[in-house]
């Protein structure tokens, strides 16, 4: 897909990195404390807090015990910390590296925990910082500005020459738009930076003010996960390429350094997208990505348009995807949107997103096992100090220890799954 839409010579930065001499390859067990299949909160907490926790919790064990997240440990040693994401900044993954919260959905309580703990913040989620949208009316943006943070809310600030040592960048009320929609809308392009642009600016800011102390930066292509939940193959691939562009920025920064640990991975699997063989002798599989490249918008744009349209549903889907679904398939999706009743023998697909993903998959070859997270081993590549410790199979909590050791931190969580009951209190 990358070669098709970027040019025949452009594979992915990630694959090129994986072939570099000295790069360690490994697999990571992603389970949470109370489930073989982790959610994003528990997944990030394992990486960012060093302990498995129950799904739904941020660095908080069932008995209320909290672990100290990596960002706070690093700040205590004088290091600088950055979090960059295409989700809300208070979403599960960034929160897992800097906050403690019993319930991940309490994003309004996570937002103030970043103050004076994280130096560079870029992503979405203005609703959790703005007094006009917070239930308590607290002006968190004002508090950050008062603490010396530069407040950025436009793409131009990211692309400009300013390299403020502390930055609060909020480029959307909620999550940032999918890349496929970003590419199609000039207004979005003018206002919202790409993940690569935010990564470049964050690296420049962190490096300029870190001296020889070093810094930690977590960059998340969070909307890849959301597209997988939606069974939206085109949106998923475009956001994967946006993440790969951010990988390119990290590799440019890495250059020939030998003092920097770079880790590229995911903290969990989602929906198990796979490319099926289609057509006689599977020959039509080779045209699958061309069909995906013709899709013009995400399901988040397509489904509301389908719900409200007066045109035949197949025509609406064709306008957004370039694909001619059978009218019966299109009506099945429309019925699921309007009535919220859908029938499928795979209950994971008994919804508008699952049905639309299956129908389009008949043309693109990409199908999903469901709309939920999956118990995959995460692929990981690492280079730099400590990278060899990632080789082979590790647990997600081990990754925290390896990163901590790279900073000469000797912290171990005071509570572990072995000393705390996994049972959620009633």
């Amino acid at each position: 897909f990358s070669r098709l839409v970027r040019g025949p010579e452009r594979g992915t930065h990630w694959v090129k990195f994986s072939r570099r001499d000295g790069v360690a390859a490994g697999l990571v067990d992603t389970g949470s404390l109370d489930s073989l299949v982790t959610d994003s909160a528990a997944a990030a907490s394992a990486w960012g807090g060093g302990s498995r926790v129950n799904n739904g919790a941020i660095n908080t064990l069932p008995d209320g015990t909290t672990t100290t997240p990596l960002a706070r440990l690093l700040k205590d040693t004088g290091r600088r910390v950055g979090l960059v994401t295409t989700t809300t900044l208070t979403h599960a993954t960034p929160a897992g590296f800097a906050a403690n919260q019993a319930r991940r959905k309490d994003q309004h309580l996570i937002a103030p925990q970043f103050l004076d703990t994280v130096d560079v913040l870029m992503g979405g989620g203005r609703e959790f910082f703005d007094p006009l949208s917070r239930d308590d009316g607290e002006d968190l943006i004002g508090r950050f500005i008062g603490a010396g943070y530069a407040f950025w809310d436009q793409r131009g600030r990211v692309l400009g020459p300013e390299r403020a040592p502390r930055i609060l960048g909020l480029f959307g009320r909620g999550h940032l738009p999918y890349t496929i929609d970003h590419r199609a809308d000039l207004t979005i392009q003018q206002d919202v930076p790409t993940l690569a642009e935010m990564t470049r600016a964050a690296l420049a800011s962190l490096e300029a003010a870190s001296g020889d102390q070093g810094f930690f930066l977590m960059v998340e292509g969070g909307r890849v996960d959301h597209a997988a939940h939606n069974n939206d193959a085109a949106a998923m691939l475009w956001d994967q390429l946006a993440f790969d562009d951010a990988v390119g920025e990290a590799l440019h920064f890495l250059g020939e350094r030998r003092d920097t640990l770079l880790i590229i991975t995911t903290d969990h699997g989602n929906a198990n997208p796979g490319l099926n063989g289609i057509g006689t002798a599977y020959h039509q599989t080779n045209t699958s990505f061309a069909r995906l490249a013709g899709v013009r918008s995400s399901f988040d744009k397509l489904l509301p348009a389908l719900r409200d349209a007066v045109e035949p549903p197949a025509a609406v889907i064709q306008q957004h995807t370039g694909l001619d679904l059978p009218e019966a398939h299109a009506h099945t999706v429309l019925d699921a949107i309007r009535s919220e009743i859908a029938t499928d023998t795979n209950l994971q697909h008994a919804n508008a997103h699952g049905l639309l993903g299956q129908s389009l998959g008949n043309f693109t070859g990409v199908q999903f096992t469901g709309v939920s997270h999956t118990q995959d081993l995460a692929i990981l590549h690492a280079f730099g100090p400590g990278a060899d410790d990632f080789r082979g199979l590790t647990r997600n909590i081990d990754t925290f220890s390896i990163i901590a050791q790279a900073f000469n931190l000797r912290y171990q969580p005071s509570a572990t799954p072995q000393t705390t009951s996994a049972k959620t209190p009633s």
Side-chain angles (χ1 to χ4, degrees):
F1 188 74
S2 175
R3 293 189 180 97
L4 182 66
V5 301
R6 289 166 152 177
E9 302 303 319
R10 288 205 59 187
T12 65
H13 296 291
W14 191 344
V15 168
K16 291 177 184 176
F17 174 69
S18 72
R19 294 170 176 166
R20 180 172 174 170
D21 288 343
V23 170
L27 296 170
V28 183
D29 178 0
T30 63
S32 72
L33 181 57
D34 64 341
S35 177
L36 292 171
V37 178
T38 188
D39 81 332
S40 294
S45 295
W47 275 83
S51 176
R52 286 184 168 171
V53 300
N54 285 356
N55 286 350
I58 302 289
N59 293 316
T60 304
L61 285 144
D63 64 357
T65 303
T66 60
T67 61
T68 304
L70 190 60
R72 210 169 300 149
L73 292 170
L74 292 171
K75 288 302 292 182
D76 287 345
T77 64
R79 271 94 167 206
R80 305 186 70 241
V81 176
L83 299 173
V84 173
T85 182
T86 50
T87 69
T88 58
L89 279 167
T90 49
H91 209 243
T93 299
F97 289 85
N100 301 100
Q101 201 62 44
R103 302 188 307 170
R104 59 177 288 182
K105 67 180 181 179
D106 290 331
Q107 295 189 59
H108 63 294
L109 299 177
I110 291 170
Q113 296 184 51
F114 294 145
L115 184 64
D116 294 326
T117 298
V118 183
D119 300 284
V120 176
L121 293 151
M122 295 189 204
R126 180 168 181 152
E127 63 179 303
F128 301 110
F129 295 81
D130 194 321
L132 298 178
S133 53
R134 285 182 59 92
D135 290 340
D136 59 8
E138 184 176 6
D139 182 7
L140 283 185
I141 294 175
R143 284 185 59 191
F144 274 80
I145 293 173
Y149 287 74
F151 176 58
W152 293 1
D153 62 353
Q154 291 292 318
R155 181 186 181 212
R157 300 293 297 276
V158 178
L159 300 182
E162 181 183 3
R163 290 294 172 259
R166 305 181 94 183
I167 301 166
L168 174 63
L170 298 170
F171 306 104
R173 185 178 185 277
H175 302 311
L176 301 189
Y178 285 107
T179 299
I180 194 171
D181 298 327
H182 186 282
R183 289 169 48 83
D185 191 317
L186 290 176
T187 300
I188 293 176
Q189 292 173 27
Q190 291 169 0
D191 295 341
V192 181
T194 66
L195 185 62
E197 290 165 350
M198 292 189 291
T199 300
R200 186 189 317 134
L203 284 168
S205 171
L206 290 166
E207 182 187 32
S210 291
D212 60 0
Q213 287 291 304
F215 62 84
F216 174 83
L217 173 64
M218 191 287 296
V219 176
E220 180 199 21
R223 304 236 67 190
V224 177
D225 173 67
H226 296 171
H229 276 301
N230 287 349
N231 286 191
D232 187 347
M236 181 184 67
L237 284 171
W238 277 111
D239 266 274
Q240 187 68 46
L241 289 187
F243 174 77
D244 190 64
D245 286 337
V247 169
E249 294 294 335
L251 291 174
H252 178 75
F253 176 86
L254 181 67
E256 298 303 318
R257 296 171 187 261
R258 291 295 182 268
D259 63 351
T260 300
L261 173 62
L262 174 61
I263 305 163
I264 308 174
T265 188
T266 180
D267 57 355
H268 62 74
N270 192 339
N272 273 131
L275 181 62
N276 292 328
I278 56 176
T280 303
Y282 301 153
H283 289 159
Q284 289 183 29
T285 307
N286 297 343
T287 64
S288 296
F289 292 118
R291 296 191 183 101
L292 279 165
V295 177
R296 304 177 185 95
S297 62
S298 69
F299 286 9
D300 278 10
K301 295 284 187 182
L302 192 163
L303 290 176
L306 182 60
R307 178 195 62 214
D308 300 334
V310 295
E311 301 99 316
V316 177
I317 293 173
Q318 200 282 334
Q319 291 167 14
H320 285 262
T321 67
L323 300 173
D324 295 313
L325 262 65
E327 200 67 52
H329 289 192
H331 273 286
T332 299
V333 177
L334 179 60
D335 290 343
I337 300 171
R338 290 182 172 173
S339 66
E340 297 185 354
I341 297 175
T343 301
D344 193 283
T345 53
N346 178 347
L347 296 180
Q348 288 258 340
H349 287 148
N351 52 76
H353 290 96
L355 292 170
L356 181 57
Q358 284 190 92
S359 296
L360 295 180
N362 292 328
F363 297 86
T364 67
V366 179
Q367 293 284 7
F368 299 78
T369 60
V371 294
S372 67
H373 288 189
T374 46
Q375 206 289 321
D376 299 283
L377 295 174
I379 296 171
L380 180 149
H381 291 98
F383 179 85
D388 284 342
D389 291 333
F390 288 106
R391 294 186 187 276
L393 177 63
T394 59
R395 299 173 300 168
N396 46 10
I397 56 174
D398 297 329
T399 61
F400 170 90
S401 299
I402 297 169
I403 295 171
Q405 289 169 12
F407 285 105
N408 292 317
L409 296 174
R410 294 293 179 261
Y411 171 81
Q412 290 293 330
S414 59
T416 68
Q418 288 71 40
T419 60
T420 306
S421 171
K423 183 179 179 181
T424 302
S426 57

